[in-house]
C-alpha cells in the first residue's frame, strides 16, 4: 500500500573523516522515500528549485517513486552543509539555506489522495498539520520532528502529536520533548502528548519502541508492557550519517505499509528493517548506497541483525 | 566452578538525583562477587581497613562468598565519593582515598589455588599480572581496566592483555585502548593486543562482544564473523549506577563459570545475564539490591531481556 511522504528534498555538502561530497542529493523526504521504496510504493510531496535536474529526479523515479507531488519553483533548492568528526554521532551545521523551502505550501496531487500511509518528515509542524488535515482517511500517520520545533513551536507541534500513530525521534529530542533525562519517564511523558507509539532512535545503538494501550488492537495488549529494542549493526566504515534516521524511518514504515495488518510481530520486524536501511545509508555519501542497493542485500543484512541480537 | 576475583572492596559516598548514600559498601570486587554469587562459588582477594565491620563482611558471606582472601590492614579502607547528574551515565568523582589499598599486595590463600576462573577487576595491571602469574593453571581469565591504566601504564597493561580470554571495558576505554573513534576498528585493534574476546559495555544501551579466531574452539568458527549485542533494560528509576559494570561482569562471568563448556550459545546467554545483573544493581544504592535479590527474579528478568530483543 502506498506511503505519502511530505518533507524536504535538498542538496547537502558534507564533510566527514571519509572525505567530502559537494551538493549531493539529500533531504529527509529523499532518504525516507528511497529506503521505503524497497518495500512499498512511495509518493513524495516537496518543493525543489531550478537547480534540481532531471538526473536528480531520476534517482527517485528509478526506484519507482512517484514524484508528481514535487513542485518546481523559481530559485534554489533547500541547501544544507555540515561536517562530522570523531565518532560521527553529531553533525556540525555550517550552513542552512531554506531557499524555495521558505515559501513551501504543500500541494497534494489528486492521484495521491488514496494513499493509506502518511509520513510527516521533519518540517514545520504547521505544514505537517496542513497535510494531515487534507488526508483525513489515511490508515496510519507517522512523523518526525526536531529540537527547533520542540523548543520554539510547541503549540503547533502539540496538534501534530495528538494525531500521530508513531512518532520517531532521537534520544536528545525524546528527553527534551518528554522533559526528563530518564528515557523511560521521558517516553511516558511523550506518549501522554498523543502518539500511540514512540520510537526512539539511538544512532549506533539501535532504537527502542515504547508502547501504549493504543499501540495495538485489544488482542495484543500483552505486548505493550515491555518496550522493544532493535540493534544497529556495528560498522567499520561509516562514511556519512546524514539521512540515517530518515532511512531508518523509511525501512520501518515501508515494511509496515507492505504488511496486511499492524501486529506487534510486524512492528518489531519493522524496527529491524529500519536498522537495516539505516546501516546501508551511512556506507556512502548522500543517497549513493540506497540508490544502488540490491534488494537481496536487505534480506542478507536482516539475517545478520537477527544473528547479532538473538540467543538461538 | 569457582571464580577467584581480585579487586577493590571499598566504601562509597554517592549522590544522585535519587538521593545520597553515605559510606555504603562498594568496590569492584564487591559488586562483581555479589552478582557472580548467584551463579557459582566466588572467592575474593582484597584488602580492607579497620573500618570494615563484621556486618560489612556478612553482606558477602551471606551470599556464600569466600572472604578468606580479604586481608585486614591497619588504617582505613579504600574510599570513593562521587555524584551523578542528568542521565546518570557518568560520575563526577569528588574524592578518591586509596588508604590501605595503596600498599595492597595480593595474598592467595592455599584454599583458593584450585579456582578455575580468574577475574582481574580494575586495579593496577602490575597487581593483575602478579595474581595471574600465581594462578598458572586457571581455565579462563577475564579482566577489566580503565583510562588511568591505559593512558599511564600501557606497558604493564600490555602484559595483562596478552594473556586475557575476555576483556570487559566500556566505550570510552575501548576507543582509547584501540586508538580509533570507530568502535569496530577500535575493537579490532584491541583484539590484536591479546584478548581472545572483547566485551564493550554501552551502559544503558547494553553491550557488544567482538570475537577473534581464538574466542571459541574450531567447531564454532562460524560464530566469530558477526559480533553479538545484548540489550540493557530501559529503567524508569535508576538510583545509583555505581558498580553496574562490575555487576554486569559478575553476571556474565558467573554464568560462564556455571556451565560445563564455553560455547557461543553460553557466551551469548552470559551477556544477557550480565545485563540482567547490571539492571538490578542500579535500582538501589550500593550493594543493597543485589544483596537482597531473590534468585527467581533473575530468571524473570532474563525472560524480559529476551522479550525486549527477540522477534519471535
Amino acid at each position: 500500500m502506498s506511503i505519502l511522504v511530505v518533507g524536504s528534498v535538498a542538496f547537502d555538502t558534507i564533510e566527514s573523516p571519509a572525505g567530502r561530497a559537494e551538493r549531493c542529493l539529500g533531504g529527509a523526504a529523499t532518504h525516507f522515500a528511497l529506503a521505503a521504496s524497497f518495500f512499498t510504493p512511495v509518493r513524495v510531496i516537496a518543493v525543489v528549485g531550478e537547480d534540481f535536474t532531471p538526473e536528480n529526479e531520476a534517482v527517485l523515479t528509478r526506484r519507482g517513486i512517484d514524484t508528481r507531488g514535487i513542485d518546481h519553483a523559481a530559485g534554489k533548492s533547500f541547501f544544507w552543509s555540515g561536517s562530522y568528526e570523531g565518532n560521527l554521532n553529531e553533525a556540525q551545521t555550517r550552513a542552512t539555506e531554506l531557499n524555495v523551502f521558505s515559501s513551501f505550501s504543500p500541494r497534494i496531487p489528486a492521484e495521491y489522495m488514496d494513499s493509506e500511509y502518511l509520513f510527516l518528515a521533519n518540517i514545520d509542524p504547521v505544514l505537517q498539520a496542513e497535510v494531515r488535515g487534507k488526508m483525513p482517511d489515511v490508515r496510519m500517520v507517522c512523523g518526525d520532528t526536531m529540537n527547533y520545533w520542540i523548543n520554539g513551536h510547541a503549540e503547533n507541534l502539540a496538534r501534530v502529536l495528538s494525531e500521530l500513530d508513531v512518532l520517531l525521534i532521537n534520544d536528545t529530542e525524546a528527553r527534551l520533548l518528554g522533559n526528563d533525562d530518564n528515557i523511560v519517564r521521558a517516553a511516558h511523558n511523550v506518549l501522554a502528548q498523543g502518539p500511540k507509539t514512540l520510537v526512539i532512535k539511538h544512532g549506533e545503538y539501535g532504537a527502542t519502541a515504547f508502547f501504549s494501550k493504543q499501540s495495538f488492537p485489544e488482542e495484543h495488549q500483552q505486548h505493550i508492557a515491555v518496550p522493544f529494542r532493535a540493534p544497529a549493526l556495528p560498522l567499520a566504515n561509516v562514511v556519512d550519517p546524514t539521512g540515517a534516521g530518515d532511512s531508518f524511518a523509511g525501512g520501518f514504515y515501508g515494511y509496515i505499509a507492505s504488511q496486511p495488518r499492524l501486529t506487534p510481530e510486524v512492528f518489531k520486524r519493522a524496527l529491524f528493517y529500519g536498522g537495516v536501511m539505516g546501516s546501508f545509508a551511512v556506507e556512502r555519501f548522500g543517497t549513493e548506497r540506497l540508490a544502488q542497493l540490491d534488494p537481496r542485500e536487505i534480506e542478507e543484512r536482516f539475517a545478520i541483525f537477527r544473528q547479532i541480537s538473538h540467543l538461538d
Side-chain angles (χ1 to χ4, degrees), chain A residues 17-298:
Chain A
R20 182 182 165 92
E22 294 278 348
R23 295 184 62 76
C24 49
L25 183 61
T30 304
H31 293 291
F32 175 92
L34 282 172
S37 73
F38 288 89
F39 300 90
T40 205
V42 184
R43 299 151 168 182
V44 181
I45 294 179
V47 61
V48 294
E50 292 150 323
D51 48 2
F52 189 78
T53 65
E55 288 72 36
N56 295 138
E57 190 149 356
V59 171
L60 299 172
T61 53
R62 267 200 299 270
R63 289 281 332 134
I65 296 164
D66 191 331
T67 58
R68 285 176 291 182
I70 299 183
D71 277 342
H72 293 252
K76 291 172 82 176
S77 300
F78 185 17
F79 173 76
W80 178 82
S81 169
S83 64
Y84 299 88
E85 283 173 25
N87 62 12
L88 290 88
N89 278 337
E90 209 166 339
Q92 296 296 316
T93 292
R94 293 187 172 170
T96 304
E97 299 166 15
L98 288 178
N99 298 328
V100 296
F101 216 80
S102 60
S103 53
F104 178 38
S105 172
R107 171 190 62 84
I108 306 178
E111 301 89 344
Y112 283 15
M113 290 305 294
D114 62 351
S115 307
E116 293 196 86
Y117 292 82
L118 177 60
F119 187 76
L120 309 170
N122 170 32
I123 51 173
D124 188 333
V126 170
L127 299 181
Q128 291 180 317
E130 187 184 324
V131 174
R132 173 70 184 95
K134 287 180 183 167
M135 302 289 294
D137 299 326
V138 289
R139 196 163 147 175
M140 190 170 169
V141 187
C142 283
D144 187 7
T145 191
M146 71 186 291
N147 291 2
Y148 178 78
W149 311 115
I150 298 170
N151 279 325
H153 297 72
E155 259 181 63
N156 295 335
L157 182 61
R159 273 192 292 277
V160 176
L161 295 178
S162 68
E163 293 197 288
L164 278 188
D165 290 287
V166 183
L167 174 66
L168 293 108
I169 50 181
N170 68 28
D171 283 294
T172 311
E173 292 153 359
R175 292 195 166 99
L176 185 66
L177 184 60
N179 195 28
D180 201 311
D181 279 326
N182 178 282
I183 209 71
V184 179
R185 294 195 303 259
H188 183 82
N189 294 343
V190 170
L191 289 171
Q193 295 170 48
K196 294 177 183 167
T197 306
L198 170 65
V199 174
I200 303 181
K201 297 171 283 181
H202 310 308
E204 62 175 320
Y205 299 118
T208 306
F210 293 90
F211 305 109
S212 76
K213 281 186 186 163
Q214 283 72 48
S215 291
F216 303 113
E218 214 159 282
E219 69 263 34
H220 300 300
Q221 288 298 307
Q222 78 273 20
H223 288 272
I224 67 161
V226 174
F228 186 75
R229 182 163 279 184
L233 184 64
L235 291 167
N237 288 300
V238 177
V239 170
D240 173 18
T242 316
D246 301 310
S247 303
F248 179 98
F252 165 79
Y253 207 32
Y255 179 73
I256 286 178
S258 76
Q259 298 298 304
R261 289 188 322 127
L262 179 59
T263 63
E265 288 68 31
V266 165
F267 198 99
K268 292 173 184 180
R269 292 177 67 89
L271 286 172
F272 269 57
Y273 280 112
V276 164
M277 300 312 285
S279 75
F280 284 124
V282 302
E283 292 183 335
R284 300 276 184 284
F285 278 107
T287 58
E288 211 178 307
R289 186 69 171 100
L290 290 189
Q292 316 252 332
L293 191 65
D294 181 330
R296 283 170 302 188
E297 293 179 275
I298 296 174

Side-chain angles (χ1 to χ4, degrees), chain A residues 7-27:
Chain A
S8 58
V9 172
F11 291 106
D12 295 336
T13 291
I14 299 150
E15 258 189 63
S16 85
R20 182 182 165 92
E22 294 278 348
R23 295 184 62 76
C24 49
L25 183 61

